[in-house]
Amino acid sequence: MNKTLMTDTTEEPRYELYYWPQIPGRGEFVRLVFEDAGAPYTDVARLPAEQGGGIPAMMAVMKGGSPGLVPLAPPFLKIGELVIAQTANICLFLARRFGMVPGDETRQAEAMQLQMTVADFVAEVHDTHHPVATGAYYEDQKPEAHKRAAQFLDTRMPKFLGYFERILAVQATRGPGRFVLGEAISCVDLSLFHIVAGLRYAFPNGFAAFASHAPHLIELHDRVADRPNIAAYLASERRLPFNQHGIFRHYPELDAD
Ligand SMILES: N[C@@H](CCC(=O)N[C@@H](CS)C(=O)NCC(=O)O)C(=O)O
């Protein structure tokens, strides 16, 4: 058994994350919630087939081979007969269980708003390299990707990151070391950490040029990276490196000069 990936114990509930095994992708936003909470989970598709893993195991659930609502696309989470999809939905579901969002309804709605804004942004990052068709190769949409990435760096990235920066700036007026929703970390903060890391990988020049406009976001990234469970995760083989197949891809021709 691969102990580094099979982190489950005999404790209930048994959390099973299903996601493409070779990329951080959208699955990473979910992994970060488990990792920061120190909650055991199984990254099913990264296990060998003989241990019930691999992509076929994921496809079997997507084809309805399991009780529960059929997911359209990974990532999805399986807890016994419960299957839930949509990254923002999964993150909030787990964050509620792990005490990683405030308890009252209003703040939970705010958390969902921010997590869905993260999801919108992630889709825009994806579209920088796949502006025409998700199912087509990047090489077949390079001119469009070039235009889209330039727009992204010029207007969309500043718009989204500027939004989160403003929220963090307001929190900073209330005291040091605060997070987007207040004194305690939430799944949204973990997602913002990953977004900063991903943008630094994908657009080293474009992000560096913008970074001075987002000091609170950068500080949040560094603070999250230093959290003991996150630091241990980043140093482990459970953390997949960014690569040319995920959401955050580094194509030098799409970056700023
Ligand atoms: N809105 C969904 C998007 C899910 C999604 O696009 N998943 C990708 C991997 S990151 C996928 O495999 N999509 C298959 C497809 O769209 O056909 C979410 O945030 O979870």
Side-chain angles (χ1 to χ4, degrees):
M1 180 182 297
N2 184 341
K3 289 204 169 98
T4 57
L5 298 179
M6 191 76 178
T7 56
D8 246 348
T9 69
T10 51
E11 287 171 24
E12 293 296 335
R14 180 184 158 90
Y15 292 107
E16 294 184 319
L17 169 65
Y18 289 76
Y19 192 66
W20 301 110
Q22 313 290 358
I23 58 171
R26 286 180 171 91
E28 193 64 11
F29 297 98
V30 181
R31 290 190 193 102
L32 286 167
V33 178
F34 281 122
E35 294 287 346
D36 190 69
Y41 66 102
T42 302
D43 210 337
V44 177
R46 291 176 68 189
L47 288 174
E50 55 271 24
Q51 288 175 28
I55 292 175
M58 185 169 86
M59 290 304 172
V61 180
M62 290 172 66
K63 286 179 185 151
S66 170
L69 204 53
V70 173
L72 176 72
F76 55 91
L77 178 69
K78 191 169 176 308
I79 310 169
E81 297 194 351
L82 172 69
V83 179
I84 57 169
Q86 291 290 349
T87 310
N89 184 39
I90 301 168
C91 286
L92 257 293
F93 177 90
L94 291 175
R96 282 190 203 104
R97 286 194 163 206
F98 301 155
M100 215 184 273
V101 278
D104 62 285
E105 194 180 39
T106 308
R107 309 309 305 286
Q108 292 200 1
E110 289 176 353
M112 184 54 104
Q113 172 187 326
L114 296 179
Q115 198 66 56
M116 291 177 80
T117 307
V118 165
D120 288 348
F121 184 63
V122 169
E124 298 220 13
V125 174
H126 167 272
D127 289 352
T128 60
H129 47 80
H130 278 77
V132 178
T134 300
Y137 290 112
Y138 163 66
E139 286 70 23
D140 294 334
Q141 44 194 318
K142 282 176 84 166
E144 294 88 351
H146 195 262
K147 282 187 201 160
R148 185 67 179 253
Q151 276 288 321
F152 173 81
L153 292 175
D154 196 42
T155 62
R156 302 302 287 175
M157 181 179 78
K159 177 167 184 159
F160 278 83
L161 298 192
Y163 172 67
F164 287 112
E165 175 66 19
R166 286 199 303 280
I167 292 172
L168 286 166
V170 170
Q171 289 292 354
T173 64
R174 297 173 185 161
R178 291 175 70 96
F179 296 92
V180 280
L181 287 166
E183 288 178 357
I185 193 161
S186 73
C187 50
V188 180
D189 302 290
L190 297 170
S191 293
L192 292 175
F193 157 78
H194 188 59
I195 280 176
V196 169
L199 290 171
R200 278 183 173 152
Y201 168 79
F203 301 104
N205 297 338
F207 187 78
F210 174 77
S212 64
H213 299 287
H216 297 93
L217 199 53
I218 304 293
E219 189 272 334
L220 176 73
H221 165 276
D222 297 350
R223 198 153 27 100
V224 170
D226 283 346
R227 290 171 69 82
N229 284 357
I230 295 296
Y233 168 60
L234 297 179
S236 77
E237 67 178 76
R238 296 192 303 282
R239 168 74 163 187
L240 289 162
F242 290 111
N243 59 51
Q244 296 302 75
H245 304 286
I247 300 286
F248 295 98
R249 301 186 188 188
H250 177 57
Y251 293 118
E253 63 273 22
L254 299 187
D255 195 7
D257 294 329

